[in-house]
Amino acid sequence: MLRFLLLTSLAALVLAVPQPWYLEDELGEGRVVGGEVARPNSWPWQVSLQYKSGSYFYHACGGTLIRTGWVLTAAHCIDRSMTWRVVLGEHDINNNEGREQYMNVSQVYVHPNWKSNNIAGGYDIALLRLSTDAVLNNYVQLGVLPPSGQVLSHNHPCYITGWGRTQTGGSLSAQLKQAYLSVVDYQTCSSSGWWGSSVKNTMVCAGGGSDSACQGDSGGPLNCNVNSQWVVHGVTSFVSFFGCNTYQRPTVFTRASAYISWMNSIMG
Ligand SMILES: *[C@@H]1O[C@H](CO)[C@@H](O)[C@H](O)[C@H]1NC(C)=O
């Protein structure tokens, strides 16, 4: 077994391009590992994107409410054609706590350059039009997007949020979790020994040091503290095939500030 592991990781090391791994929750994979349960509704722009199967809805991905009628998520979350709903004001996905708003999705807008067979190519971003507007309150708020083109510097403090497992193969966390991650700048993240050319400058890297902080759900926000305000700088996109806290393989996010004009062109 040890020999097998050594051989497989060696095989990966000789690949020119490290293999990314999606964070979509397909049958419960790709969730927050590490971190801690968030104070209920302390990230009020975080949404649960759910797909319908039979007569039930299941959590698939995270997302961010950016306008009362619009949710930002990752393109790879909605590669399959499904009936979707968005839950706002959620904390415990197994319990109705009375703060949730259940919204239908009337339209899905995937970035036209997204290619589902090439996540390292970028453009892993999509917008969901809600059929009715969210009601903003203490539990449901809009996420703030960065100014177009803004890039955070190395070690900038951020949090990822998502519903997830506490460890690989463990049971799902029904409650929203958060984990601290600091930004790894593009120069470092795209260097050899890190992600190399798999990372583009339209992405943000965070985490990946010797700490074991880990990723949130695909599609969910990278929340960064900028001048004492939480700003959604990233959309969770991919991690290493070898796990979310692999050394020098930070979690990779679609950089929101690279897509402000695309978002505005869709939302008007
Ligand atoms: C969402 O769609 C379902 C099925 O069409 C409908 O029963 C429900 O009332 C809708 N909910 C909202 C909030 O529009």
Side-chain angles (χ1 to χ4, degrees), residues 53-223:
S53 177
S55 48
Y56 292 97
F57 282 90
Y58 298 92
H59 178 87
C61 270
T64 303
L65 185 71
I66 54 172
R67 293 196 192 172
T68 52
W70 291 92
V71 163
L72 172 65
T73 190
H76 78 257
C77 287
I78 48 177
D79 274 339
R80 289 164 303 168
S81 182
M82 305 282 245
T83 298
W84 302 103
R85 78 173 182 186
V86 163
V87 186
L88 314 172
E90 186 62 288
H91 177 64
D92 184 330
I93 47 177
N94 293 336
N95 287 308
N96 190 328
E97 293 149 308
R99 297 170 174 180
E100 296 89 344
Q101 294 177 39
Y102 298 92
M103 316 298 277
N104 291 328
V105 173
S106 58
Q107 189 107 35
V108 168
Y109 298 86
V110 174
H111 195 288
N113 295 345
W114 165 246
K115 291 191 175 58
S116 57
N117 60 357
N118 182 21
I119 195 168
Y123 306 103
D124 189 11
I125 189 168
L127 289 167
L128 309 176
R129 182 79 171 102
L130 305 180
S131 64
T132 51
D133 279 349
V135 175
L136 303 183
N137 55 31
N138 285 347
Y139 317 116
V140 176
Q141 295 279 317
L142 302 183
V144 174
L145 292 172
S148 183
Q150 186 175 70
V151 172
L152 299 178
S153 53
H154 197 62
N155 285 331
H156 194 100
C158 303
Y159 278 86
I160 46 159
T161 46
W163 284 270
R165 295 181 173 191
T166 52
Q167 57 187 45
T168 307
S171 57
L172 287 175
S173 168
Q175 297 169 326
L176 185 68
K177 294 185 74 187
Q178 62 184 40
Y180 176 84
L181 291 185
S182 58
V183 168
V184 176
D185 66 12
Y186 171 72
Q187 191 189 351
T188 305
C189 198
S190 63
S191 63
S192 65
W194 291 68
W195 274 111
S197 59
S198 292
V199 157
K200 310 297 186 290
N201 65 9
T202 54
M203 303 174 184
V204 182
C205 300
S210 54
D211 60 346
S212 62
C214 195
Q215 85 282 359
D217 282 348
S218 272
L222 177 68
N223 308 283

Side-chain angles (χ1 to χ4, degrees), residues 195-264:
W195 274 111
S197 59
S198 292
V199 157
K200 310 297 186 290
N201 65 9
T202 54
M203 303 174 184
V204 182
C205 300
S210 54
D211 60 346
S212 62
C214 195
Q215 85 282 359
D217 282 348
S218 272
L222 177 68
N223 308 283
C224 299
N225 191 318
V226 181
N227 298 325
S228 303
Q229 185 182 35
W230 291 113
V231 179
V232 177
H233 265 269
V235 178
T236 309
S237 184
F238 64 87
V239 290
S240 169
F241 181 82
F242 293 109
C244 57
N245 56 345
T246 303
Y247 185 61
Q248 293 187 347
R249 293 291 184 279
T251 303
V252 183
F253 302 82
T254 302
R255 175 161 66 81
S257 70
Y259 295 94
I260 299 294
S261 59
W262 176 73
M263 287 189 258
N264 288 338

Side-chain angles (χ1 to χ4, degrees), residues 3-67:
R3 181 177 165 79
F4 173 74
L5 288 173
L6 286 171
L7 284 172
T8 51
S9 43
L10 198 63
L13 286 174
V14 299
L15 290 173
V17 178
Q19 297 296 295
W21 189 248
Y22 290 101
L23 298 175
E24 182 178 2
D25 180 31
E26 180 139 36
L27 305 175
E29 296 304 318
R31 319 307 303 279
V32 169
V33 178
E36 67 252 349
V37 172
R39 188 166 48 81
N41 310 108
S42 57
W43 305 100
W45 44 88
Q46 168 85 50
V47 314
S48 168
L49 174 61
Q50 306 186 342
Y51 64 94
K52 192 174 192 188
S53 177
S55 48
Y56 292 97
F57 282 90
Y58 298 92
H59 178 87
C61 270
T64 303
L65 185 71
I66 54 172
R67 293 196 192 172

